[in-house]
Amino acid sequence: MASSARQILERVFGYSSFRGQQEAVIEHAVSGGDSLVLMPTGGGKSLCYQIPALMRSGTAVVVSPLIALMRDQVDALLQAGVRAAYLNSTLSYGEVLDVENRLRTGRIDLLYVAPERLLGDRTLALLGAIDTALFAIDEAHCVSQWGHDFRPEYLELSVLRERFPAVPRMALTATADETTRREIAARLGLTGARWFVSGFDRPNIQYRVAPKAGPRDQLARIIDTEHRGDAGIVYCLSRRSVDETAEWLRGRGVDALAYHAGMNARDREAHQDRFVRGEGVVMVATIAFGMGIDKPDVRFVAHLNLPKSLEAYYQETGRAGRDGLPATAWMAYGLQDVIMLRQMVDGSEAAAERKRLEIRKLDAMLGYCELTTCRRQALLAYFGETLAEPCGNCDNCLDPPESWDATEAARKALSCVYRTGQRFGAGYVVDVLRGKGDERMGRFGHDRLPIFGAGAELDARQWRSVIRQLVARGLLTVDIDGYGSLSLTPAARSVVRGGVTVELRRDALPSPARRKKQAAKAVGAGPPGLFDALRARRRELAQEQGVPPYVIFHDATLAAMAKIRPRTLDEMSELSGVGARKLERYGEIFLRVLREHGAAGAPDNTVVEDSEESTAAS
Ligand code: ADP
Ligand code: ZN
């Protein structure tokens, strides 16, 4: 059986080896077991059910919450020659009848359905009448009422167990936290299922965090130097900043689009579609965007605001580099973000216990931002994994940050907060420290305090950095009065009294030059222009068929093509991502591009005709 899963992997998908736990998951499902599959985004969850779907008799049913995505997934499978279809509200009645007919006659190996569709009487009855191979429940964390992706229909999926007791079920998610995992198992009635938990590391993603210093300019610099023409996602906190940032980027010649819940559904869909089908579109969005985006070639994810938790951050950044090629996760954050998020948490209607949990998560997020050691080690540790060595692919590893003895500065800042009555925000405190008096300060007599002007040795940016780090370390807290007043925590006492040294991180701006080199080798190996020519051909083919370019070949496959420059179909078939069906359909077409670039040898004699119809893969 193992060899046959492997054969399918090679023949249909064009990959030479399984990743992580894929093979074990497949084996378990093929032999009829239930499972809970936990893999990071980009880990390769789809193959875990797609291959059993081709090995077991009957149709595998994939429950997926996002209608917009089903079509792309089905398109990708059809390209590989797999008999796949979907059932959702976008189909016409005639199309539904056609799919149902093909199901009844055993001509579909993989059926994608939205949960509400699946649970309808008509679909349940139909599935009861045919041979069902497997149920795969994708994005299974949608069943969790605590999570932000909660979908009530998911709760009802437990009926599958009662109605189809003999059909194996597989729940899949990229959610890393333990509580949610247990909730999934309990709510879906998967208590006896085997768990497959994969490592959560995403080594190809370079994690970077920068203190805010004109975040749009910082972002523009990164796009210019490292990611020109690349697809990316930029997360902002508010709808307004989404609109403004998208507009600003467009003004700089970046193909940027906006996405947030305040837009009408049609525009949102159109933008998402352009992002998925386009090649270098930058989506500027609130967190409303992204769940289930399985575009493999997103080269960067940027956060212009601090996410609420490391779980959210990891999920959002995980949308970069699913194809395994180098990708960037960059975040800018500043004191203002901390204040705003604190206020959002405290101002929420949530119960006290829930609030405490949210604050703890926010603190973990802050701790991550202020790290001076390997970020990946810290991230993985947060999710309960150990990385033995520093990763070498995060900003702190690449550019070890300097720290400085900030004991004196910390004492001044704390004492300034205290002397001014713990009623003012950071801006005011910094002005007092720097001796920048105004009318209001005069009124309170703060310009006559000994601390007034006692901090001239640091500039305003440096003082904000000190205050931010004191907040992050829990020496100062930010009040929720709407003004962000700072006050001292009990922990601050030992610093004020003396005897404790405070080491802080020296904020530095990244040096783009070196990173540019790293980024350059990411894609586009081979002779100049060849990769672009291959991409252009792919774009034409994709447009002709109305499918996203990546369902034809991934960037990774084109990059390998440019580098290895196969001369025959046989050599072409060796490339990762070239399965039998794609070789047949596109092999000769791409060999021609290689030849035109003087990159391939004599044409191969094996002429293959394009055939329109998809054939069974198994
Ligand atoms: P997930 O759903 O876990 O986020 P996907 O199933 O979309 O991830 O897979 C991510 C990418 O990795 C896809 O582009 C897929 O084709 C590729 N992939 C998956 N398994 C393998 C493998 N064994 N070898 C090479 N590439 C793989
Ligand atoms: Zn590192």
Side-chain angles (χ1 to χ4, degrees):
M1 113 95 222
S3 79
S4 133
R6 254 166 213 281
Q7 280 163 6
I8 293 178
L9 179 75
E10 270 195 29
R11 197 179 70 232
V12 180
F13 298 96
Y15 298 139
S16 55
S17 56
F18 282 110
R19 275 194 198 152
Q21 309 233 48
Q22 280 174 333
E23 192 166 19
V25 176
I26 292 167
E27 204 168 314
H28 186 66
V30 168
S31 60
D34 291 340
S35 51
L36 192 57
V37 177
L38 309 145
M39 265 188 201
T41 310
K45 285 185 284 299
S46 323
L47 287 185
C48 293
Y49 54 81
Q50 288 168 349
I51 291 181
L54 299 177
M55 294 175 69
R56 283 179 67 89
S57 84
T59 305
V61 178
V62 185
V63 185
S64 164
L66 292 157
I67 289 178
L69 267 172
M70 287 182 193
R71 194 182 50 176
D72 294 343
Q73 278 158 350
V74 167
D75 278 345
L77 286 166
L78 291 174
Q79 290 285 335
V82 176
R83 303 185 304 179
Y86 58 83
L87 271 180
N88 65 35
S89 53
T90 66
L91 294 184
S92 68
Y93 188 60
E95 288 169 323
V96 170
L97 289 180
D98 175 54
V99 172
E100 289 180 351
N101 184 31
R102 280 190 285 149
L103 278 170
R104 276 202 203 88
T105 49
R107 284 180 292 146
I108 291 180
D109 289 317
L110 264 149
L111 176 74
Y112 285 75
V113 279
E116 58 278 9
R117 187 85 187 196
L118 172 66
L119 296 163
D121 292 339
R122 184 180 175 116
T123 315
L124 285 177
L126 175 63
L127 293 181
I130 65 168
D131 187 12
T132 312
L134 166 79
F135 285 105
I137 302 167
D138 207 3
E139 311 285 357
H141 62 282
C142 290
V143 81
S144 162
Q145 279 163 308
W146 291 88
H148 50 287
D149 294 328
F150 176 56
R151 309 235 162 183
E153 318 84 73
Y154 261 66
L155 290 175
E156 288 162 48
L157 291 174
S158 55
V159 306
L160 295 178
R161 178 204 194 137
E162 291 130 41
R163 294 197 57 145
F164 305 93
V167 181
R169 288 170 305 142
M170 181 187 294
L172 306 105
T173 180
T175 298
D177 85 77
E178 184 75 20
T179 334
T180 312
R181 293 173 182 180
R182 300 205 168 279
E183 211 179 337
I184 294 171
R187 290 190 192 278
L188 292 179
L190 281 167
T191 37
R194 172 141 17 131
W195 286 36
F196 293 91
V197 183
S198 302
F200 268 72
D201 191 13
R202 300 286 309 280
N204 59 314
I205 299 181
Q206 186 175 94
Y207 295 97
R208 282 147 54 181
V209 179
K212 264 188 192 169
R216 279 182 202 157
D217 288 314
Q218 289 171 288
L219 173 65
R221 198 156 47 233
I222 289 173
I223 293 179
D224 281 345
T225 55
E226 305 172 45
H227 290 294
R228 253 298 156 195
D230 285 346
I233 305 175
V234 178
Y235 283 110
C236 302
L237 206 56
S238 71
R239 296 172 186 183
R240 207 186 66 189
S241 67
V242 164
D243 288 330
E244 288 173 1
T245 306
E247 170 115 32
W248 188 86
L249 285 172
R250 279 196 296 275
R252 297 194 43 126
V254 177
D255 189 3
L257 295 172
Y259 188 104
H260 56 67
M263 291 162 53
N264 69 47
R266 191 147 36 83
D267 288 347
R268 272 209 314 265
E269 232 167 75
H271 285 188
Q272 171 158 337
D273 207 56
R274 270 256 286 126
F275 175 73
V276 171
R277 280 149 203 273
E279 281 183 320
V281 178
V282 173
M283 188 68 107
V284 186
T286 58
I287 53 167
F289 177 75
M291 206 235 318
I293 289 297
D294 63 355
K295 187 174 168 59
D297 53 0
V298 176
R299 296 267 67 84
F300 68 93
V301 170
H303 282 88
L304 294 189
N305 296 100
L306 203 57
K308 257 193 194 162
S309 65
L310 281 175
E311 284 90 348
Y313 170 75
Y314 206 57
Q315 201 172 48
E316 286 151 22
T317 54
R319 290 169 189 146
R322 292 167 82 114
D323 54 10
L325 296 177
T328 307
W330 178 82
M331 169 163 68
Y333 96 115
L335 180 58
Q336 203 49 41
D337 292 308
V338 181
I339 294 173
M340 215 144 71
L341 279 182
R342 270 270 143 77
Q343 286 172 343
M344 270 166 59
V345 172
D346 285 274
S348 86
E349 308 278 285
E353 194 193 338
R354 179 77 198 259
K355 256 187 205 175
R356 268 198 299 280
L357 181 76
E358 285 181 1
I359 290 175
R360 233 186 7 255
K361 293 195 166 187
L362 181 54
D363 284 339
M365 186 74 231
L366 285 179
Y368 171 78
C369 293
E370 301 291 358
L371 274 178
T372 51
T373 51
C374 177
R375 296 206 195 268
R376 193 180 314 271
Q377 278 182 320
L379 273 173
L380 291 175
Y382 182 78
F383 296 122
E385 263 179 60
T386 329
L387 184 68
E389 297 290 321
C391 74
N393 192 27
C394 71
D395 52 358
N396 287 347
C397 282
L398 291 165
D399 239 341
E402 279 176 44
S403 54
W404 57 295
D405 182 348
T407 312
E408 203 43 45
R411 288 173 67 180
K412 282 181 186 175
L414 293 172
S415 131
C416 186
V417 169
Y418 187 72
R419 296 286 162 206
T420 51
Q422 313 193 69
R423 292 186 290 126
F424 296 91
Y428 188 87
V429 171
V430 171
D431 283 350
V432 173
L433 282 164
R434 308 234 332 119
K436 229 179 112 205
D438 61 12
E439 183 269 328
R440 187 162 66 132
M441 226 175 263
R443 204 151 21 95
F444 293 124
H446 292 157
D447 54 0
R448 293 190 300 277
L449 292 171
I451 197 75
F452 182 79
E457 71 277 16
L458 299 183
D459 65 21
R461 189 179 68 84
Q462 290 167 320
W463 275 119
R464 290 181 70 82
S465 158
V466 169
I467 292 174
R468 191 194 72 225
Q469 297 187 60
L470 294 178
V471 173
R473 289 184 186 202
L475 297 172
L476 283 174
T477 60
V478 183
D479 286 342
I480 318 309
D481 51 12
Y483 301 103
S485 316
L486 296 166
S487 52
L488 273 56
T489 65
R493 219 171 301 151
S494 57
V495 178
V496 179
R497 282 211 210 100
V500 177
T501 55
V502 180
E503 291 266 321
L504 292 184
R505 179 191 169 105
R506 198 186 293 286
D507 288 350
L509 294 176
S511 52
R514 183 172 49 78
R515 298 245 162 78
K516 186 176 177 174
K517 254 200 312 211
Q518 282 170 358
K521 65 173 189 250
V523 250
L530 178 54
F531 180 68
D532 288 335
L534 293 167
R535 262 184 139 188
R537 194 71 192 89
R538 178 181 66 174
R539 198 177 311 128
E540 288 163 11
L541 291 166
Q543 268 160 9
E544 282 164 20
Q545 303 175 59
V547 296
Y550 65 77
V551 307
I552 295 191
F553 284 130
H554 283 180
D555 279 357
T557 302
L558 295 189
M561 218 178 269
K563 185 162 167 247
I564 293 163
R565 289 183 266 160
R567 286 163 306 168
T568 62
L569 285 174
D570 240 19
E571 288 177 13
M572 177 80 87
S573 76
E574 296 290 305
L575 300 178
S576 177
V578 183
R581 177 76 186 178
K582 291 188 179 178
L583 182 70
E584 189 183 295
R585 264 181 107 159
Y586 304 121
E588 192 52 46
I589 297 176
F590 283 90
L591 281 179
R592 217 172 295 142
V593 179
L594 290 164
R595 257 180 247 126
E596 280 160 13
H597 271 74
D604 188 79
N605 292 333
T606 344
V607 179
V608 183
E609 280 177 54
D610 278 9
S611 68
E612 292 309 318
E613 222 191 11
S614 301
T615 50
S618 55

